[in-house]
């Protein structure tokens, strides 16, 4: 089982990855992409941000 420290480290790495993806999206003129999971649509970047907050231990996810 991952420790809190390992989860936070992973969240930090993922956060840097998200920034890079956003930079690429901006350069291509893309604002976000839609993903479909179990017949429900989600905004990809928003879902990634939620997952990063969960890894980091932020309980104020909206």
């Amino acid at each position: 089982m991952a420790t809190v420290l390992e989860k936070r480290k992973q969240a930090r790495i993922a956060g840097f990855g998200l920034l890079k993806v956003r930079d690429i999206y901006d350069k291509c003129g893309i604002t976000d992409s839609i993903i479909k999971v179990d017949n429900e649509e989600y905004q990809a970047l928003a879902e990634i941000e939620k997952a990063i907050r969960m890894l980091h231990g932020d309980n104020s996810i909206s």
Side-chain angles (χ1 to χ4, degrees):
M1 187 164 172
T3 66
V4 172
L5 186 60
E6 290 169 341
K7 287 181 180 181
R8 288 190 177 182
K9 181 179 178 183
Q10 185 60 46
R12 186 168 184 260
I13 293 166
F16 278 104
L18 177 61
L19 291 175
K20 187 64 173 178
V21 170
R22 281 194 167 165
D23 184 47
I24 293 167
Y25 272 32
D26 287 344
K27 288 177 182 176
C28 295
I30 301 170
T31 56
D32 203 350
S33 56
I34 302 296
I35 53 174
K36 195 170 191 175
V37 179
D38 297 330
N39 292 323
E40 292 188 43
E41 291 184 348
Y42 301 93
Q43 290 182 321
L45 296 179
E47 295 304 319
I48 294 169
E49 286 177 355
K50 286 181 193 177
I52 291 169
R53 287 189 190 113
M54 287 174 65
L55 275 171
H56 198 268
D58 183 357
N59 296 326
S60 63
I61 298 170
S62 54

